[in-house]
Structures are given as structure tokens and as C-alpha cells.
Amino acid sequence: SFIALLSISLGVLNLLPIPVLDGGHLLFYTVELLAGRPVPEKIQAMGYQLGLFMVLGIMTLALYNDFTRL
């Protein structure tokens, strides 16, 4: 049951609308579908940089919480 919980948690995290993750790709596809044209490369690049910063921030927060509980 622990492995199932871990797998579900990872799947939900992966679907967050952060551009580096799969949810971010789905977000760009949805914007493209609604706008009728692709998202400009410059905006995608800024989104990926912001997404990478967010993922690194979440990882840093998780590591900090782990180390403070030791």
C-alpha cells in the first residue's frame, strides 16, 4: 500500500501545471487549442525557467523539512 500511495502522489505531482512537468505541457496544449495558434517560443522558454525554479524550490523545501526533523 505504501508503494501505491507513493505512485499516486508522484502521478499527481507530475500533473501539476508547472511547465517542466507533464501538466505544464498539457497547459501549453490547452492554451494552443483555445488560442488557435502555438504559444510563442519566448513565453514557453520563460515558462520552463519558471517551472524549473518552482520544482527546485519544492525540492529545497522538502529537503529542509526532512533535515529539520532529524
Side-chain angles (χ1 to χ4, degrees):
S1 67
F2 176 72
I3 298 296
L5 179 65
L6 189 65
S7 179
I8 291 170
S9 297
L10 185 61
V12 169
L13 181 71
N14 197 25
L15 288 177
L16 289 176
I18 299 174
V20 176
L21 304 174
D22 289 335
H25 292 289
L26 293 175
L27 178 69
F28 283 138
Y29 294 149
T30 303
V31 169
E32 182 177 342
L33 181 69
L34 294 175
R37 57 187 164 85
V39 178
E41 292 287 327
K42 187 175 182 180
I43 293 176
Q44 282 186 12
M46 288 184 346
Y48 286 128
Q49 288 176 351
L50 178 65
L52 183 61
F53 178 73
M54 289 173 66
V55 169
L56 289 174
I58 291 170
M59 288 173 53
T60 303
L61 179 64
L63 283 172
Y64 173 75
N65 286 336
D66 287 343
F67 285 130
T68 57
R69 291 182 184 172
L70 285 178

